[in-house]
Amino acid sequence: MASNARPAQPKTILRGHKTPVQVAAFVRNNERLLTGDSDGFVVAWDLTIMRPRAVWQAHTASILGIAGWGHDRIITHGRDNRLVVWKLTAEHENVLSTSLPLDPSSQPRPKPWMLHVLQISTMNFCSFSYCPAYPDNSPAAAAADEILLAVPNTLSSESIDIFHLPSLARKHTVGLPTSSSPDQKNGMAMSLSLFHHSTSHHLTLVAGYERGLAAVYQLDPNTSKWAVTYQSNPHTQPILSLDVSPDESFFLSSGADATIAKHPIPSSPPSSGIIQNPILTINTRHAGQQSLRIRSDNLIFATAGWDSMVRVYSVKTMKELAVLKWHQQGCYAVAFAAANTSPTTSPPQEETPRPDDKKPEGSHSKEVTTQVPKMLVEQTPKQKRLHQARTARWLAAGSKDGRVSLWDVY
């Protein structure tokens, strides 16, 4: 019997980019969605009103990556060989343009304050990854203004450089694992993830390569040398994206082929040697899934498909849960709002009477005076919109058509 259920529809469509949307990221507790396009434009969308708050051309070529750093900084990475850190606060938004790239504008759009600029290689399509400069157990961890940034090596895109910000000093260069065949090259780095492992606190780098190879490197803090702890080649085509699980126990990769693979992340170098087997691989029968992202509750992940479909999978079973179809052209970017975000106000609390409160004459001891929670009475429409933006389980998808669809999923 055929199902009468209607296909899922996006809650909102954000229109404004003139060229394909390449990247997307939620920032400021889900209050803003950042999107970047092939012309180098960035739009900061206010999700309380679904309108642009800031629009500027961050790069003169396509944007490869975008992310928030803290509450008031944005990192963008373009194919113009530049990585830029911008200062963007609510106050700065008030003086920036809201004229969308699709709108004709004779006036130049002002740009946010530029904090740092790093000249890097963009021979490939690999974006950056960053993490705090120090692990959580370090006394220096409170230095929130310092990060480590992984990017393809300036001279050889087969290697990976790790820079320190704000000093812009290069701290490490990580080489490729040795290929089993001298004639077989691993190719360029295609996707990166940098973090301090939550168990060992070792600086860890996950990389996916053009040959379909996935590898995990860890830095020995005593010798300052990098060791390969995992290496596998589950893909027959270049890896397009990867993402590390919130608990840092595994990562997922997708490629130009139809494979999605789940890989282990050792907390320290295994005594038995390099791990070479992935946890699980699945043939999705859908080639060209990129921008793989795991939601922060570690329950689901999503991919953007060249076939215009956004697919949602279970992290546990790796089974496909939903196919989101709205765009008519290929999708290039997906992003999840952070799940389980704390509400903007405290839950309603029963008001406790003060000791000097007196009952009116004629009242009975069994009477209970109920009061409407102050949160419901005093919350303004603006506060309600802010609460909705911070707690909605948004999934954003950017497409070749220049539009961004917002879905409310699971």
Side-chain angles (χ1 to χ4, degrees):
M1 182 176 178
S3 173
N4 293 323
R6 294 181 59 188
Q9 293 294 312
K11 294 293 184 180
T12 305
I13 301 297
L14 303 175
R15 295 173 172 86
H17 286 283
K18 190 177 181 179
T19 56
V21 177
Q22 299 286 350
V23 295
F26 289 88
V27 296
R28 293 194 201 163
N29 297 324
N30 304 336
E31 295 174 28
R32 297 287 185 271
L33 172 64
L34 304 175
T35 54
D37 64 27
S38 296
D39 282 344
F41 278 97
V42 171
V43 179
W45 302 91
D46 185 342
L47 296 184
T48 65
I49 57 175
M50 301 299 172
R51 296 288 187 272
R53 280 292 189 188
V55 181
W56 76 98
Q57 190 171 17
H59 299 272
T60 57
S62 181
I63 293 184
L64 295 175
I66 194 166
W69 174 8
H71 197 72
D72 59 357
R73 281 162 290 188
I74 306 297
I75 306 174
T76 62
H77 176 192
R79 295 217 68 188
D80 56 0
N81 298 314
R82 298 196 315 159
L83 184 143
V84 184
V85 180
W86 310 87
K87 181 84 167 181
L88 184 65
T89 65
E91 291 74 20
H92 292 143
E93 290 178 348
N94 293 331
V95 299
L96 296 179
S97 174
T98 57
S99 176
L100 289 162
L102 196 60
D103 300 331
S105 176
S106 58
Q107 299 296 326
R109 297 174 178 86
K111 297 181 180 181
W113 183 17
M114 194 181 297
L115 296 176
H116 310 290
V117 179
L118 190 63
Q119 299 293 329
I120 56 177
S121 169
T122 51
M123 291 177 58
N124 51 11
F125 293 90
C126 181
S127 182
F128 70 94
S129 178
Y130 84 95
C131 70
Y134 306 98
D136 291 340
N137 67 335
S138 169
D145 287 338
E146 296 182 52
I147 62 171
L148 295 175
L149 190 83
V151 294
N153 181 268
T154 304
L155 300 177
S156 169
S157 56
E158 295 183 352
S159 299
I160 300 155
D161 286 334
I162 298 178
F163 289 89
H164 173 270
L165 263 65
S167 70
L168 303 182
R170 182 165 53 193
K171 295 294 185 181
H172 307 278
T173 297
V174 184
L176 282 167
T178 304
S179 174
S180 57
S181 171
D183 299 328
Q184 190 175 37
K185 294 184 178 181
N186 291 304
M188 298 181 292
M190 300 294 291
S191 189
L192 306 173
S193 184
L194 182 69
F195 57 96
H196 296 279
H197 200 284
S198 57
T199 302
S200 64
H201 305 291
H202 290 172
L203 185 61
T204 303
L205 174 67
V206 178
Y209 294 94
E210 190 177 11
R211 185 167 66 89
L213 177 78
V216 177
Y217 307 86
Q218 286 192 335
L219 178 67
D220 187 328
N222 298 318
T223 64
S224 297
K225 293 183 178 180
W226 290 86
V228 179
T229 61
Y230 170 79
Q231 179 180 329
S232 182
N233 207 141
H235 296 275
T236 59
Q237 296 291 326
I239 290 178
L240 298 178
S241 61
L242 59 83
D243 200 18
V244 172
S245 65
D247 62 2
E248 298 169 356
S249 63
F250 67 89
F251 69 98
L252 303 176
S253 64
S254 67
D257 55 12
T259 298
I260 294 179
K262 180 185 285 188
H263 312 261
I265 301 179
S267 59
S268 58
S271 57
S272 57
I274 300 172
I275 299 175
Q276 297 185 347
N277 295 317
I279 299 171
L280 179 66
T281 60
I282 60 169
N283 181 3
T284 66
R285 304 185 185 279
H286 305 291
Q289 297 184 67
Q290 65 182 58
S291 189
L292 186 153
R293 295 293 179 266
I294 303 173
R295 196 167 68 179
S296 59
D297 59 6
N298 208 21
L299 295 178
I300 59 176
F301 68 94
T303 60
W306 293 349
D307 60 1
S308 78
M309 308 289 188
V310 175
R311 292 180 169 85
V312 181
Y313 298 85
S314 164
V315 168
K316 182 177 181 180
T317 65
M318 302 278 282
K319 291 182 178 179
E320 186 179 280
L321 300 177
V323 179
L324 307 179
K325 169 65 175 172
W326 185 85
H327 297 279
Q328 300 301 312
Q329 300 182 58
C331 291
Y332 297 152
V334 295
F336 277 113
N340 300 322
T341 304
S342 300
T344 57
T345 53
S346 302
Q349 300 289 333
E350 183 177 343
E351 187 167 307
T352 304
R354 297 190 301 270
D356 58 346
D357 285 347
K358 295 182 180 180
K359 296 180 182 179
E361 292 184 7
S363 64
H364 299 284
S365 59
K366 291 185 179 181
E367 281 189 352
V368 177
T369 303
T370 59
Q371 299 193 15
V372 178
K374 292 179 65 178
M375 182 181 70
L376 300 180
V377 174
E378 298 179 355
Q379 208 171 42
T380 66
K382 181 178 180 180
Q383 289 173 326
K384 290 178 181 179
R385 292 195 302 268
L386 187 61
H387 175 80
Q388 168 66 16
R390 287 184 170 180
T391 58
R393 298 194 170 214
W394 294 124
L395 168 60
S399 170
K400 185 179 179 180
D401 58 19
R403 299 168 183 173
V404 179
S405 56
L406 272 180
W407 307 77
D408 190 0
V409 294
Y410 301 102

